[in-house]
Amino acid sequence: MKRRTLLSSLLAVALAATASAADLLDAVKQRGTLRIAVEGTYPPFNYKEGGKLTGFDVEIAELLAGKLGVKPEFVTTEWSGILAGLQAGKYDVIVNQVAATDKRREVFDFSQPYVVSSAQLIVRKDEKRAFKGLEDLKGHAIGVGQGSNYAELARSVAGVEVKTYPGAPEYLQDLALGRIDAALNDSLLIPYLVKQTRLPLKGGAPVGKAESNAIPYPKGNPKFGAALDKALADIKADGSFRRVSVKYFERDVSVAPVALK
């Protein structure tokens, strides 16, 4: 009886060890799908157009799934709970502009960075003054979104007149009309905003430190992490990453932004 109990215990331990050793890559391959979380309401990264999910993150995720040899399966969820959902195993990865912070790395592993962004000035297309940063805007007015971190950034430089607006359309309109001298937003969003508003504006000088976004996945899956990084490297090497990037942002977003001439 004791021997049977001991054998049962050893078998249970062996099965548990096997289960814990299983890598996410094996589960994804067996399932035939990569479960990908996105907000679905965050243009131009991921949003619905004609009822269909599309956007930069969606197309990149589709390319990555293809390189892994599986089909993409998208799960839309609000940003407020997107990381908790990954931790709970509701999906395999998040492809939704997640900053790979030290705090998040305590909970998740991350792919190699695939997007680099920073705060960036927006100026009129015919601007002749050399605004190389916020310091050059002392004595000038800058437009920012009310309550945004860009408002805090602009206020950190004494002498800059900071004007807040409900959103980007309002301050971009004032910028085009000459009521303010510059605006400030995420470098990734500027081409999209300019295209949507059709105003004579352009991206100016980058401001502050560039930050990287990557793809989080559950810890303890080295085979999956290696395969994901290889897939990212492959779509950069074959030009498909750049093609999607230029489609949405007019540049390769895997490199740091620069001011337009």
Side-chain angles (χ1 to χ4, degrees), residues 122 144-145 165-177 179-180 183 185 192-194 196-199 201:
I122 311 169
V144 291
Y165 295 79
E170 290 84 2
Y171 64 65
L172 293 179
Q173 184 68 37
D174 268 11
L175 176 58
L177 293 172
R179 293 170 180 162
I180 55 177
N185 206 321
Y192 175 77
L193 292 172
V194 171
Q196 289 294 107
T197 59
R198 299 182 181 180
L199 294 171
L201 306 172

Short mmCIF file of all heavy atoms in Angstrom, two decimals, residues 122 144-145 165-177 179-180 183 185 192-194 196-199 201:
data_model
loop_
_atom_site.label_atom_id
_atom_site.label_comp_id
_atom_site.label_asym_id
_atom_site.label_seq_id
_atom_site.Cartn_x
_atom_site.Cartn_y
_atom_site.Cartn_z
N ILE A 122 5.64 69.32 -33.11
CA ILE A 122 4.92 69.47 -34.37
C ILE A 122 4.98 70.95 -34.72
O ILE A 122 4.72 71.82 -33.88
CB ILE A 122 3.46 69.04 -34.26
CG1 ILE A 122 3.35 67.66 -33.59
CG2 ILE A 122 2.78 69.03 -35.63
CD1 ILE A 122 1.94 67.27 -33.20
N VAL A 144 -0.68 71.44 -26.19
CA VAL A 144 -0.63 70.05 -25.72
C VAL A 144 -2.03 69.60 -25.30
O VAL A 144 -2.92 70.42 -25.07
CB VAL A 144 0.32 69.89 -24.52
CG1 VAL A 144 1.76 70.07 -24.94
CG2 VAL A 144 -0.04 70.87 -23.41
N GLY A 145 -2.24 68.32 -25.21
CA GLY A 145 -3.51 67.78 -24.73
C GLY A 145 -3.66 67.99 -23.24
O GLY A 145 -2.71 67.80 -22.48
N TYR A 165 -5.41 71.87 -24.59
CA TYR A 165 -6.58 71.70 -25.45
C TYR A 165 -7.26 70.37 -25.14
O TYR A 165 -6.61 69.44 -24.64
CB TYR A 165 -6.16 71.71 -26.92
CG TYR A 165 -5.57 73.02 -27.40
CD1 TYR A 165 -4.25 73.37 -27.12
CD2 TYR A 165 -6.34 73.91 -28.16
CE1 TYR A 165 -3.70 74.56 -27.58
CE2 TYR A 165 -5.81 75.10 -28.63
CZ TYR A 165 -4.49 75.42 -28.33
OH TYR A 165 -3.96 76.61 -28.78
N PRO A 166 -8.55 70.25 -25.49
CA PRO A 166 -9.25 68.97 -25.27
C PRO A 166 -8.61 67.81 -26.01
O PRO A 166 -8.63 66.67 -25.54
CB PRO A 166 -10.67 69.25 -25.80
CG PRO A 166 -10.82 70.73 -25.74
CD PRO A 166 -9.45 71.28 -26.02
N GLY A 167 -8.04 68.08 -27.18
CA GLY A 167 -7.44 67.01 -27.96
C GLY A 167 -6.57 67.55 -29.08
O GLY A 167 -6.45 68.76 -29.28
N ALA A 168 -5.97 66.63 -29.85
CA ALA A 168 -5.06 67.01 -30.92
C ALA A 168 -5.70 67.85 -32.02
O ALA A 168 -5.09 68.81 -32.50
CB ALA A 168 -4.42 65.76 -31.51
N PRO A 169 -6.92 67.54 -32.47
CA PRO A 169 -7.50 68.34 -33.56
C PRO A 169 -7.54 69.83 -33.25
O PRO A 169 -7.29 70.67 -34.13
CB PRO A 169 -8.92 67.76 -33.70
CG PRO A 169 -8.80 66.35 -33.22
CD PRO A 169 -7.82 66.42 -32.09
N GLU A 170 -7.83 70.15 -31.98
CA GLU A 170 -7.95 71.57 -31.60
C GLU A 170 -6.59 72.27 -31.62
O GLU A 170 -6.46 73.37 -32.17
CB GLU A 170 -8.58 71.69 -30.21
CG GLU A 170 -10.06 71.31 -30.16
CD GLU A 170 -10.30 69.82 -30.02
OE1 GLU A 170 -9.30 69.06 -29.92
OE2 GLU A 170 -11.48 69.41 -30.01
N TYR A 171 -5.57 71.66 -31.03
CA TYR A 171 -4.29 72.38 -31.01
C TYR A 171 -3.59 72.35 -32.37
O TYR A 171 -2.85 73.26 -32.71
CB TYR A 171 -3.37 71.92 -29.87
CG TYR A 171 -2.86 70.50 -29.87
CD1 TYR A 171 -2.00 70.01 -30.84
CD2 TYR A 171 -3.19 69.65 -28.80
CE1 TYR A 171 -1.51 68.73 -30.79
CE2 TYR A 171 -2.69 68.36 -28.73
CZ TYR A 171 -1.85 67.90 -29.73
OH TYR A 171 -1.36 66.63 -29.67
N LEU A 172 -3.85 71.34 -33.17
CA LEU A 172 -3.27 71.32 -34.51
C LEU A 172 -3.90 72.41 -35.39
O LEU A 172 -3.22 73.03 -36.21
CB LEU A 172 -3.46 69.94 -35.15
CG LEU A 172 -2.68 68.80 -34.49
CD1 LEU A 172 -2.96 67.49 -35.20
CD2 LEU A 172 -1.18 69.09 -34.48
N GLN A 173 -5.19 72.64 -35.21
CA GLN A 173 -5.86 73.71 -35.95
C GLN A 173 -5.26 75.07 -35.56
O GLN A 173 -4.97 75.90 -36.43
CB GLN A 173 -7.36 73.69 -35.65
CG GLN A 173 -8.18 74.71 -36.43
CD GLN A 173 -8.23 74.39 -37.91
OE1 GLN A 173 -8.30 73.23 -38.32
NE2 GLN A 173 -8.19 75.42 -38.75
N ASP A 174 -5.08 75.31 -34.26
CA ASP A 174 -4.49 76.57 -33.81
C ASP A 174 -3.05 76.72 -34.30
O ASP A 174 -2.61 77.83 -34.62
CB ASP A 174 -4.52 76.64 -32.28
CG ASP A 174 -5.78 77.35 -31.77
OD1 ASP A 174 -6.69 77.58 -32.59
OD2 ASP A 174 -5.86 77.65 -30.55
N LEU A 175 -2.31 75.61 -34.35
CA LEU A 175 -0.95 75.66 -34.86
C LEU A 175 -0.93 76.06 -36.33
O LEU A 175 -0.15 76.92 -36.75
CB LEU A 175 -0.28 74.30 -34.66
CG LEU A 175 1.15 74.15 -35.22
CD1 LEU A 175 2.09 75.18 -34.61
CD2 LEU A 175 1.67 72.73 -34.97
N ALA A 176 -1.80 75.44 -37.11
CA ALA A 176 -1.87 75.77 -38.54
C ALA A 176 -2.25 77.23 -38.77
O ALA A 176 -1.79 77.87 -39.73
CB ALA A 176 -2.87 74.84 -39.23
N LEU A 177 -3.08 77.79 -37.87
CA LEU A 177 -3.53 79.18 -37.99
C LEU A 177 -2.53 80.17 -37.40
O LEU A 177 -2.75 81.39 -37.46
CB LEU A 177 -4.89 79.35 -37.31
CG LEU A 177 -6.07 78.62 -37.98
CD1 LEU A 177 -7.30 78.71 -37.11
CD2 LEU A 177 -6.33 79.19 -39.37
N ARG A 179 -1.70 80.52 -34.18
CA ARG A 179 -2.05 80.97 -32.83
C ARG A 179 -1.09 80.42 -31.78
O ARG A 179 -1.00 80.96 -30.67
CB ARG A 179 -3.48 80.55 -32.50
CG ARG A 179 -4.53 81.27 -33.36
CD ARG A 179 -5.90 80.64 -33.18
NE ARG A 179 -6.91 81.32 -33.99
CZ ARG A 179 -8.09 80.81 -34.31
NH1 ARG A 179 -8.41 79.59 -33.85
NH2 ARG A 179 -8.94 81.48 -35.06
N ILE A 180 -0.41 79.35 -32.09
CA ILE A 180 0.66 78.82 -31.25
C ILE A 180 1.85 78.53 -32.16
O ILE A 180 1.71 78.50 -33.39
CB ILE A 180 0.23 77.55 -30.48
CG1 ILE A 180 -0.30 76.47 -31.44
CG2 ILE A 180 -0.81 77.88 -29.42
CD1 ILE A 180 -0.66 75.16 -30.76
N ALA A 183 3.49 72.27 -31.26
CA ALA A 183 2.68 71.36 -30.46
C ALA A 183 3.55 70.18 -30.09
O ALA A 183 4.68 70.04 -30.59
CB ALA A 183 1.44 70.92 -31.22
N ASN A 185 3.50 65.84 -29.17
CA ASN A 185 2.78 64.58 -29.09
C ASN A 185 3.76 63.44 -29.30
O ASN A 185 4.96 63.67 -29.49
CB ASN A 185 1.64 64.53 -30.13
CG ASN A 185 0.50 63.60 -29.70
OD1 ASN A 185 0.72 62.54 -29.13
ND2 ASN A 185 -0.73 64.02 -29.95
N TYR A 192 0.08 60.22 -38.60
CA TYR A 192 -1.34 59.87 -38.67
C TYR A 192 -2.21 61.10 -38.42
O TYR A 192 -3.18 61.34 -39.15
CB TYR A 192 -1.65 58.79 -37.64
CG TYR A 192 -3.11 58.43 -37.53
CD1 TYR A 192 -3.72 57.62 -38.47
CD2 TYR A 192 -3.88 58.90 -36.47
CE1 TYR A 192 -5.06 57.28 -38.37
CE2 TYR A 192 -5.22 58.57 -36.36
CZ TYR A 192 -5.81 57.77 -37.32
OH TYR A 192 -7.14 57.44 -37.21
N LEU A 193 -1.88 61.89 -37.40
CA LEU A 193 -2.67 63.08 -37.07
C LEU A 193 -2.63 64.10 -38.21
O LEU A 193 -3.65 64.69 -38.57
CB LEU A 193 -2.14 63.72 -35.78
CG LEU A 193 -2.35 62.92 -34.50
CD1 LEU A 193 -1.62 63.58 -33.33
CD2 LEU A 193 -3.83 62.78 -34.18
N VAL A 194 -1.44 64.31 -38.76
CA VAL A 194 -1.30 65.27 -39.87
C VAL A 194 -2.10 64.81 -41.08
O VAL A 194 -2.78 65.60 -41.75
CB VAL A 194 0.19 65.46 -40.23
CG1 VAL A 194 0.34 66.26 -41.51
CG2 VAL A 194 0.93 66.15 -39.09
N GLN A 196 -4.75 62.81 -41.06
CA GLN A 196 -6.18 62.88 -40.76
C GLN A 196 -6.72 64.30 -40.83
O GLN A 196 -7.83 64.54 -41.31
CB GLN A 196 -6.45 62.29 -39.37
CG GLN A 196 -6.28 60.78 -39.27
CD GLN A 196 -7.30 60.02 -40.09
OE1 GLN A 196 -6.98 59.46 -41.13
NE2 GLN A 196 -8.53 60.00 -39.65
N THR A 197 -5.95 65.26 -40.32
CA THR A 197 -6.42 66.65 -40.29
C THR A 197 -6.18 67.40 -41.61
O THR A 197 -6.79 68.43 -41.86
CB THR A 197 -5.73 67.42 -39.15
OG1 THR A 197 -4.30 67.39 -39.35
CG2 THR A 197 -6.06 66.82 -37.80
N ARG A 198 -5.25 66.86 -42.42
CA ARG A 198 -4.90 67.48 -43.71
C ARG A 198 -4.45 68.93 -43.55
O ARG A 198 -4.75 69.79 -44.38
CB ARG A 198 -6.09 67.40 -44.68
CG ARG A 198 -6.52 65.98 -45.01
CD ARG A 198 -7.65 65.94 -45.99
NE ARG A 198 -8.07 64.57 -46.27
CZ ARG A 198 -9.05 64.24 -47.10
NH1 ARG A 198 -9.74 65.21 -47.73
NH2 ARG A 198 -9.36 62.98 -47.31
N LEU A 199 -3.73 69.19 -42.48
CA LEU A 199 -3.22 70.53 -42.23
C LEU A 199 -1.75 70.62 -42.65
O LEU A 199 -1.04 69.61 -42.65
CB LEU A 199 -3.35 70.85 -40.72
CG LEU A 199 -4.78 70.96 -40.19
CD1 LEU A 199 -4.78 71.05 -38.66
CD2 LEU A 199 -5.50 72.16 -40.80
N LEU A 201 1.28 70.77 -41.69
CA LEU A 201 2.13 70.60 -40.53
C LEU A 201 3.14 69.48 -40.79
O LEU A 201 3.01 68.73 -41.75
CB LEU A 201 1.28 70.27 -39.30
CG LEU A 201 0.14 71.23 -38.96
CD1 LEU A 201 -0.71 70.65 -37.84
CD2 LEU A 201 0.69 72.60 -38.58
#
